[in-house]
Amino acid sequence: TQLLEQSPQFLSIQEGENLTVYCNSSSVFSSLQWYRQEPGEGPVLLVTVVTGGEVKKLKRLTFQFGDARKDSSLHITAAQPGDTGLYLCAGLFYNQGGKLIFGQGTELSVKP
Amino acid sequence: DTGVSQNPRHKITKRGQNVTFRCDPISEHNRLYWYRQTLGQGPEFLTYFQNEAQLEKSRLLSDRFSAERPKGSFSTLEIQRTEQGDSAMYLCASSRLAGPSTDTQYFGPGTRLTVL
């Protein structure tokens, strides 16, 4: 059974600070997706990473996929209150069909 | 709006009643997924369809749960004899399978079920 560990679970920071969220597995991902979710809504896709070592940027968000494709990170530069929300990583694993395995999520709160 | 849509957005029911949720995927997406999310947790996989075929069901999907996608378009998820433990957000996602390694899934807004 593939497990996906996400850390930290909670993060409370001041506006302007930087932060990093980590996503790790003991198994190799075929691909990994990062989502952001607001209360009462469904997850909204931020990025999909497929290639080991890949780096993608989305404004102040930087996503990295580990060389071995077992880990990923999300770095936010100069966080803003609008970044507040639940960040979820979700992986697809080989031979597991199409189902996404989600981490527990990181609840981010950015205070003005 | 051409995203995934779900109805109803909220459902309050009494224990023992049956409920049915509907999901309309993004047009031309051949895969459709159901997930369940409880407070403070990430979504958990329930089942998925490729076109009209149900390819996989999780052990979480007890015999009180049934899902259909009769014409390969919209899908319904029915829960019979609801229990308080069924209270959760039910999420639907769809994708257009592009290859064996990539299957980007787009989620709907979810249906929040409360069983009293």
Side-chain angles (χ1 to χ4, degrees):
Chain A
T1 301
Q2 282 83 3
L3 289 176
L4 202 153
E5 294 186 4
Q6 191 174 338
S7 64
Q9 192 172 347
F10 300 98
L11 199 51
S12 181
I13 61 173
Q14 293 296 128
E15 183 176 1
E17 293 184 3
N18 301 332
L19 66 113
T20 303
V21 178
Y22 300 93
C23 183
N24 297 282
S25 175
S26 58
S27 300
V28 175
F29 298 108
S30 62
S31 67
L32 185 140
Q33 296 165 20
W34 285 93
Y35 293 88
R36 178 168 171 264
Q37 186 177 25
E38 299 200 23
E41 298 294 330
V44 175
L45 179 70
L46 295 173
V47 77
T48 298
V49 287
V50 179
T51 306
E54 186 174 7
V55 177
K56 285 191 174 180
K57 294 195 174 186
L58 188 66
K59 297 183 180 178
R60 294 175 292 100
L61 278 60
T62 301
F63 304 86
Q64 288 191 304
F65 200 19
D67 291 340
R69 295 160 65 197
K70 290 185 177 182
D71 60 278
S72 181
S73 64
L74 157 60
H75 183 79
I76 301 180
T77 303
Q80 298 177 2
D83 296 327
T84 294
L86 179 67
Y87 289 82
L88 294 159
C89 65
L92 282 175
F93 294 91
Y94 294 104
N95 302 319
Q96 286 293 313
K99 62 177 178 281
L100 284 172
I101 306 297
F102 279 84
Q104 196 171 14
T106 295
E107 189 71 56
L108 171 65
S109 173
V110 182
K111 295 179 175 20
Chain B
D1 184 24
T2 57
V4 179
S5 61
Q6 291 187 247
N7 289 289
R9 292 292 313 276
H10 304 274
K11 180 70 178 179
I12 300 174
T13 191
K14 293 183 179 179
R15 189 177 55 184
Q17 298 294 306
N18 299 343
V19 294
T20 300
F21 310 140
R22 176 176 170 130
C23 171
D24 287 88
I26 293 171
S27 180
E28 298 180 358
H29 276 192
N30 57 351
R31 283 195 167 184
L32 187 148
Y33 306 79
W34 286 100
Y35 293 83
R36 181 172 68 186
Q37 185 177 25
T38 53
L39 205 59
Q41 302 294 322
E44 294 177 294
F45 169 79
L46 292 178
T47 187
Y48 85 98
F49 295 83
Q50 182 159 312
N51 301 313
E52 63 273 11
Q54 189 172 18
L55 297 188
E56 187 174 350
K57 292 192 290 187
S58 163
R59 286 170 294 177
L60 293 174
L61 214 65
S62 75
D63 55 7
R64 296 185 296 105
F65 288 70
S66 62
E68 295 183 342
R69 194 183 183 198
K71 298 183 179 180
S73 57
F74 72 92
S75 176
T76 57
L77 177 68
E78 181 183 15
I79 309 174
Q80 295 182 327
R81 306 181 303 282
T82 52
E83 301 173 356
Q84 288 183 326
D86 297 331
S87 295
M89 173 78 92
Y90 289 84
L91 294 163
C92 176
S94 71
S95 70
R96 186 178 63 186
L97 185 61
S101 301
T102 61
D103 191 18
T104 298
Q105 298 180 25
Y106 297 88
F107 283 81
T111 295
R112 167 72 65 189
L113 172 67
T114 302
V115 182
L116 301 176

